[in-house]
Amino acid sequence: MDLIVDYSLQGVQMLLVVTAAPALTGLVRKVKARLMRRAGPPILQPYRDLARLMRKEAVIAANASWLFRAVPYLVFAATWVAAALVPTFATGLPFSWTADLIAIIALLGSARFLLALAGMDVGTSFGGIGSSREMLIASLAEPAMMMIIFVLALIAGSTQLSTIAEFMLSTEAGLRVSLGLALVALIMVAIAENARIPVDNPATHLELTMVHEAMVLEYSGRHLGLIELSASLKLLLYVSLIACVFAPWGLAPMQSGLLSWLIGIGTWLLKLAVAAFALALFETSIAKMRVFRVPEFLGAAFMLGLLGALLEFVLAGF
Amino acid sequence: MTPVDFSLLCNAALLLLAPVAVAIAAARPAAWRAIYLVSLVLTFTMAGSSIAFALSGAPASSEIFPLGIPWIGAHFREDMLSAVFLAVVNLGAAGASFYAIGYGKHEAAPGRVLPFYPLFIAAMNLVILSDDAFSFLLSWEFMSLTSWALVMAHHRSETNRHAGYVYIVMASFGTLALLLAFGLLAGPEGNYAFETMRGTAPAAAIGWLVLLLVLLGAGSKAGIVPLHVWLPLAHPAAPSHVSALMSGVMTKVAIYAVIRIIFDLAGAPEWWHGMVVLVLGGITAAIGVLHALMEHDLKRLLAYHTIENIGIIFIGLGLAMAFQANGMGAAAALSLTAALFHVFNHSLFKSLLFFGSGAVLNATGERDMEHLGGLIHRMPQTAFAFLIGCAAISALPPLNGFVSEWMTFQAILLSPSLPQWGLRLAVPATGALLALSAALAAACFVKAFGVSFLGRARSPAAARANETDIWSRTAMLIWAGLCLLFGLFPALAIDALGPAVQSLLNSRLPAQAEIPWFLLVPIAGSRSSYDGLLVFMFITASVLLSVAVIHLLASRAVRRGPIWDCGFPNPTPLAQYSAGSFAQPIRRVFGTLVFRAREKVAMPPPGDMAPAHFDVDIHDLAWEKIYVPVAAGIEFTAGRLNGLQFLTIRRYLTLVFLALVALLLVLAIWT
């Protein structure tokens, strides 16, 4: 019986992330529009877009290979699995031990690798520029992410997200400067990884400054729908990640009852909404930076992570 | 028959194969396949027997022959560590032989390759089996010479001759350094057998000199920065199956030498020895991958990636030394297991990638990626296998490269409990370098695969390419399958490495095979775990689910149309993104610092119809700042000493007399 409950919880989490992801994107767009004094599309618009894209036929370039058609499904699957492994409303789900934080980040890396290849498949200059810049940003974000993981592992003694969240919920964690530095660094990495302003602009087309959108320019129909859903899922993953490490309140512990799960889901949705507001506010108040300023941005994230690690060492030393 | 006897017998058969090959090349050139077939059988049997031996955990078996130095004899020994490396070498050699059964038909001068090929494999095996300094150095030099002969197989090309020259100089230098290292270990009594070296711990000063000499000697063979310069020249110059052997296997023999001397012969390491190795490894990994990104030649790119992976292995070895020096057995075992597992993984995917590049080279006659493109349509199976190799070397889950890098990261995360401040600071920095090189490797292989196999053909040769032969294809697909297998079931390899790690460090990782679902738990379940099998199953299930749902409920219609490209389809394939343009952002970020890269744009004045020119100036600082001055210094000294040839007899006699006086003086002061 316990086993069935456990597995169905994991199933609930998988369904929850994939159904909530477009709403998060919709909410960010809505808040951004309101902040710019526009009415904006309804929050549920991404669902309609997805349904419309899924129903349309896919137009594929004549020289596209099998890889081009396989990549959207693979990218979606890898992102979905990664998002389902991050604790959202409860810790200690039966498959949470499948992958730790490093493996989850690496899974996203697999998805990005495939998407970058798809960008080069047709042989266009837009696709190439997108792939090339996406890989540049990824290679700068990864060392910063490693430093953040280092700080977390240093404090919580684990890279397993469930364990980290439980540690952060306990009284041992307390307020630490190094955690604050890691939080800022993680937010910066998340912004870069999700192709948000100021690193990339998810709303542009036909501009040489775009990165992610240039890479997926050749996609249409259901393939494009899957890629957009994956992008929403990735945003949701990073928000859940930040929430479960730095704001783990409301997370249902292992073997708890229905009530605490419902509370967990409620607080998680609340956290998503807060994150969407914060992201929209941030994006409206800052301009996009030149692509060659991105190394400085991510270098700053790396230095913050390094500083956090050093601080933790110094404090542990005394 | 004891394992060591069996291995020696197989190697004797390989050595005997060389004269047969000479005869075949002279008399019946059509029978060249037999050589590769026999090599395949011999190496595969040896791999099987050494794997069985490694799994059995039986005591070492040894053999002494009355050869070599008279009062010592030639010692051979097979223990757990040598069994692991014998398995890596022979599995790699079996793959190369299998591939060569098909690939060899493209060889223009088989007489230059066939005789040296089995000799080269036997030499690598003999290095690993040797148990005294003399046999070790003899086999080591034999390995260098046979591989040099293979590098020079296509000696008509000027670049290959240059590669061969640089290689032989570096190899001789490396052997000299190893000779001195063994001399120091043997001590004044001349205990050249490893057995006696093991018993005596050298003094601290000797210890670090040995470390330095080993890093110079074996490190130059492995390709650690700045001793790496020969590697991207020599590895691509050889025929592709030999490139796979040199890059995937011979560098591992160098790693074996490092492990054998540092962990087995030289006694307990100091913590800062570990730090030196660790930092060298981090620098090597980052420099190797940055060089690879700048490279447009497919085989040279792969050779630079070997440097990167050697760096990753050295990071694991350095961590193991540091942990061992502080008595942290479990952490040391994790680091060493990670390093050994990466040795094995790298031999798998690097062989696979060199096989793929050989197939491309045969199909198109091109190694330059800027002339390739669209090969996924012309060579679908090669492209698929190459893609698996690219993903594996980029450390992407659920393939095998990720598992060993993940284990190295886990070892890095254990570093806060080290007492020394130097290590506490150096290890996270190395971790950042490791993360950087993993991410850059992914970028580099997006470039390699994307430019060579995807897009549109950039040359008529690429447009006309045909799929390679069935033997080569099968070899590549099997090796791709192995990359996936050890990504899903890493416990198979990790448990097989257990006895070797136990024999060196007196501790090992807990057995992983009993854990349900093939979960990998290096330290404790609450700390970290990874399950490649479940990740793979989840991804497969999600793919199938999404395909089914979308195709059944939504749409499955596909229409083929012209390229969209935002309404500006570029008519010529040359307008595609090229390898150079792909790497340009990364060159802008790292290149000015690491390569002193300069971009020069020559625009014709308005109205002039001349084409614009874009040039990139890249410098290999290791070559320009170290090798060129040293070569110039040697040239200068040699020029000065040249005068000694033309002296009168009186001056010669004076010289002899002065030398005698000087020697007597030295002797008088010494005693």
Side-chain angles (χ1 to χ4, degrees):
Chain A
M1 188 58 205
D2 275 355
L3 209 63
I4 297 173
V5 172
D6 272 356
Y7 283 90
S8 51
L9 268 184
Q10 185 77 48
V12 167
Q13 161 137 341
M14 285 202 87
L15 282 179
L16 207 60
V17 289
V18 81
T19 42
L24 178 64
T25 311
L27 186 60
V28 174
R29 284 188 195 151
K30 181 77 181 174
V31 177
K32 258 176 96 169
R34 297 297 301 168
L35 286 171
M36 294 171 176
R37 312 286 273 167
R38 287 190 284 117
I43 294 172
L44 297 183
Q45 188 61 36
Y47 294 97
R48 293 184 199 145
D49 288 346
L50 276 179
R52 182 170 48 87
L53 283 171
M54 292 293 173
R55 280 199 304 273
K56 288 200 169 214
E57 67 174 358
V59 183
I60 296 177
N63 66 333
S65 67
W66 57 267
L67 192 67
F68 188 79
R69 298 178 65 176
V71 159
Y73 297 98
L74 290 170
V75 166
F76 169 68
T79 318
W80 193 16
V81 171
L85 291 172
V86 177
T88 53
F89 66 93
T91 59
L93 292 180
F95 290 116
S96 61
W97 39 259
T98 305
D100 66 346
L101 184 52
I102 300 177
I104 290 172
I105 299 300
L107 256 181
L108 291 178
S110 297
R112 176 175 45 230
F113 181 81
L114 288 167
L115 203 57
L117 282 181
M120 303 196 70
D121 185 54
V122 177
T124 59
S125 36
F126 266 125
I129 202 171
S131 301
S132 157
R133 289 179 173 181
E134 178 93 356
M135 294 318 282
L136 169 75
I137 293 171
S139 58
L140 295 166
E142 205 126 301
M145 193 69 206
M146 188 61 211
M147 285 330 300
I148 296 162
I149 295 174
F150 202 89
V151 175
L152 293 181
L154 205 57
I155 293 172
S158 169
T159 53
Q160 209 71 6
L161 275 174
S162 279
T163 320
I164 296 179
E166 273 161 22
F167 179 85
M168 295 294 173
L169 270 176
S170 69
T171 45
E172 291 170 67
L175 274 177
R176 291 169 196 242
V177 181
S178 50
L179 271 181
L181 294 173
L183 173 64
V184 177
L186 184 56
I187 290 174
M188 290 167 87
V189 169
I191 285 171
E193 287 276 351
N194 282 293
R196 310 300 302 193
I197 293 174
V199 174
D200 189 9
N201 190 348
T204 51
H205 266 301
L206 286 174
E207 270 182 48
L208 274 174
T209 50
M210 62 192 182
V211 179
H212 182 84
E213 295 296 322
M215 197 163 56
V216 302
L217 199 60
E218 295 292 322
Y219 276 113
S220 58
R222 56 179 183 273
H223 299 147
L224 184 61
L226 275 175
I227 285 173
E228 296 211 329
L229 185 56
S230 315
S232 305
L233 263 175
K234 196 171 170 185
L235 181 62
L236 182 99
L237 183 155
Y238 270 97
V239 172
S240 307
L241 177 65
I242 294 171
C244 106
V245 174
F246 295 99
W249 312 293
L251 271 178
M254 251 185 273
Q255 310 294 340
S256 47
L258 186 64
L259 185 67
S260 55
W261 288 325
L262 287 178
I263 293 175
I265 293 179
T267 44
W268 177 62
L269 291 176
L270 202 67
K271 287 177 211 165
L272 288 187
V274 171
F277 272 100
L279 179 61
L281 195 64
F282 179 72
E283 285 201 313
T284 39
S285 55
I286 199 164
K288 191 190 164 309
M289 62 172 78
R290 284 193 322 126
V291 75
F292 285 107
R293 293 286 300 280
V294 174
E296 293 163 26
F297 180 77
L298 286 169
F302 173 75
M303 291 318 287
L304 284 174
L306 190 67
L307 211 57
L310 290 183
L311 210 58
E312 202 54 40
F313 274 135
V314 172
L315 291 180
F318 292 113
Chain B
M1 195 188 289
T2 58
V4 67
D5 286 339
F6 182 76
S7 303
L8 285 173
L9 208 64
C10 290
N11 281 308
L14 276 175
L15 290 176
L16 286 178
L17 206 56
V20 179
V22 173
I24 280 185
R28 298 193 51 194
W32 55 267
R33 274 210 168 95
I35 300 295
Y36 290 124
L37 205 61
V38 175
S39 307
L40 169 65
V41 172
L42 285 171
T43 49
F44 194 72
T45 346
M46 255 193 289
S49 82
S50 46
I51 290 171
F53 180 59
L55 287 173
S56 73
S61 62
S62 55
E63 196 65 67
I64 303 175
F65 294 110
L67 302 166
I69 304 181
W71 63 96
I72 296 171
H75 295 241
F76 292 98
R77 182 161 176 270
E78 186 168 345
D79 59 2
M80 287 296 122
L81 181 67
S82 20
V84 164
F85 276 88
L86 280 178
V88 170
V89 166
N90 286 304
L91 207 61
S97 308
F98 193 95
Y99 173 79
I101 293 175
Y103 181 83
K105 76 163 179 271
H106 306 286
E107 188 55 59
R112 296 188 185 282
V113 178
L114 282 181
F116 298 113
Y117 180 77
L119 289 182
F120 178 38
I121 298 174
M124 291 192 286
N125 279 320
L126 288 175
V127 170
I128 293 171
L129 286 169
S130 303
D131 197 38
D132 67 294
F134 182 76
S135 334
F136 186 96
L137 286 172
L138 196 70
S139 316
W140 183 271
E141 195 62 9
F142 190 46
M143 172 176 88
S144 301
L145 285 176
T146 44
S147 54
W148 173 79
L150 288 163
V151 167
M152 294 294 278
H154 303 158
H155 64 108
R156 301 234 180 257
S157 123
E158 172 59 38
T159 49
N160 286 4
R161 284 203 299 275
H162 174 64
Y165 175 67
V166 175
Y167 176 35
I168 198 80
V169 170
M170 291 299 290
S172 316
F173 168 74
T175 312
L176 174 68
L178 277 184
L179 179 74
L180 295 176
F182 280 125
L184 284 176
L185 281 174
E189 291 84 32
N191 297 321
Y192 286 101
F194 286 176
E195 199 58 59
T196 40
M197 283 186 200
R198 246 174 233 127
T200 49
I206 302 280
W208 84 260
L209 252 179
V210 167
L211 175 80
L212 182 76
L213 287 168
V214 168
L215 286 178
L216 284 176
S220 70
K221 192 61 109 197
I224 57 173
V225 172
L227 302 167
H228 66 284
V229 289
W230 65 273
L231 200 143
L233 299 173
H235 287 191
S240 293
H241 58 296
V242 179
S243 306
L245 271 185
M246 290 181 74
S247 242
V249 176
M250 189 175 72
T251 51
K252 306 303 151 27
V253 178
I255 299 283
Y256 165 80
V258 172
I259 296 180
R260 174 63 80 194
I261 297 175
I262 290 180
F263 286 91
D264 193 15
L265 302 181
E270 304 260 347
W271 66 267
W272 60 269
H273 291 182
M275 190 164 121
V276 169
V277 174
L278 178 81
V279 171
L280 265 181
I283 293 171
T284 303
I287 299 278
V289 70
L290 282 171
H291 268 293
L293 268 161
M294 301 303 126
E295 198 53 64
H296 303 166
D297 179 321
L298 195 52
K299 283 180 83 174
R300 280 177 62 108
L301 180 146
L302 294 177
Y304 274 122
H305 269 286
T306 298
I307 299 173
E308 182 223 344
N309 282 284
I310 290 297
I312 295 171
I313 294 166
F314 267 86
I315 290 175
L317 294 182
L319 282 170
M321 289 162 74
F323 285 127
Q324 182 73 359
N326 285 300
M328 297 163 68
L334 172 63
S335 321
L336 190 61
T337 312
L340 288 175
F341 191 30
H342 201 73
V343 162
F344 176 63
N345 288 336
H346 181 249
S347 81
L348 288 181
F349 48 65
K350 189 46 64 73
S351 298
L352 168 61
L353 290 168
F354 265 113
F355 295 165
S357 71
V360 169
L361 179 61
N362 270 336
T364 62
E366 283 291 349
R367 270 164 45 181
D368 188 349
M369 290 193 288
E370 308 285 33
H371 296 158
L372 297 171
L375 291 177
I376 194 169
H377 303 286
R378 307 288 307 176
M379 310 171 73
Q381 293 179 27
T382 305
F384 178 73
F386 200 84
L387 177 62
I388 300 279
C390 288
I393 197 172
S394 308
L396 297 177
L399 294 162
N400 60 348
F402 172 70
V403 186
S404 40
E405 285 200 23
W406 181 80
M407 288 170 70
T408 313
F409 273 128
Q410 294 301 336
I412 286 174
L413 292 177
L414 289 175
S415 67
S417 38
L418 286 168
Q420 292 89 2
W421 273 94
L423 278 171
R424 283 189 181 179
L425 299 180
V427 177
T430 318
L433 280 178
L434 183 58
L436 177 72
S437 32
L440 286 176
C444 190
F445 278 96
V446 167
K447 176 186 103 165
F449 190 81
V451 175
S452 317
F453 285 91
L454 302 177
R456 289 172 281 162
R458 291 179 179 80
S459 70
R464 280 195 312 269
N466 282 322
E467 184 61 284
T468 183
D469 60 277
I470 179 87
W471 290 97
S472 310
R473 269 192 335 251
T474 317
M476 284 188 272
L477 290 173
I478 292 175
W479 253 241
L482 287 177
C483 285
L484 184 63
L485 179 77
F486 286 101
L488 303 189
F489 306 102
L492 297 178
I494 289 166
D495 284 352
L497 295 173
V501 174
Q502 172 82 44
S503 73
L504 292 174
L505 302 176
N506 287 324
S507 60
R508 53 168 288 178
L509 284 189
Q512 306 284 329
E514 282 104 57
I515 305 172
W517 287 104
F518 292 95
L519 185 69
L520 195 60
V521 185
I523 307 144
S526 63
R527 186 171 177 100
S528 56
S529 55
Y530 167 71
D531 193 325
L533 181 67
L534 272 184
V535 167
F536 181 71
M537 279 167 45
F538 280 149
I539 290 180
T540 319
S542 312
V543 166
L544 293 178
L545 187 70
S546 51
V547 169
V549 166
I550 289 171
H551 281 227
L552 290 178
L553 301 179
S555 154
R556 59 169 72 185
V558 168
R559 184 154 55 90
R560 292 275 179 173
I563 297 171
W564 158 233
D565 202 19
C566 247
F568 300 100
N570 29 35
T572 156
L574 292 179
Q576 295 175 85
Y577 237 53
S578 66
S581 37
F582 189 92
Q584 187 256 2
I586 293 171
R587 192 178 63 229
R588 285 271 296 264
V589 175
F590 297 101
T592 41
L593 181 69
V594 182
F595 308 112
R596 296 216 186 136
R598 292 272 178 283
E599 296 178 356
K600 276 181 285 207
V601 185
M603 281 297 242
D608 190 350
M609 297 299 279
H613 278 285
F614 176 78
D615 271 320
V616 182
D617 203 17
I618 287 181
H619 301 269
D620 184 347
L621 292 185
W623 180 261
E624 288 174 14
K625 298 284 168 206
I626 300 175
Y627 290 83
V628 172
V630 167
I634 291 173
E635 184 94 357
F636 177 78
T637 327
R640 283 299 161 98
L641 290 178
N642 198 22
L644 286 180
Q645 289 189 54
F646 308 105
L647 300 182
T648 59
I649 186 79
R650 290 193 307 279
R651 291 202 170 166
Y652 277 126
L653 286 175
T654 322
L655 266 181
V656 168
F657 178 70
L658 286 178
L660 194 66
V661 169
L663 278 176
L664 286 173
L665 269 178
V666 167
L667 208 63
I669 295 166
W670 192 279
T671 46

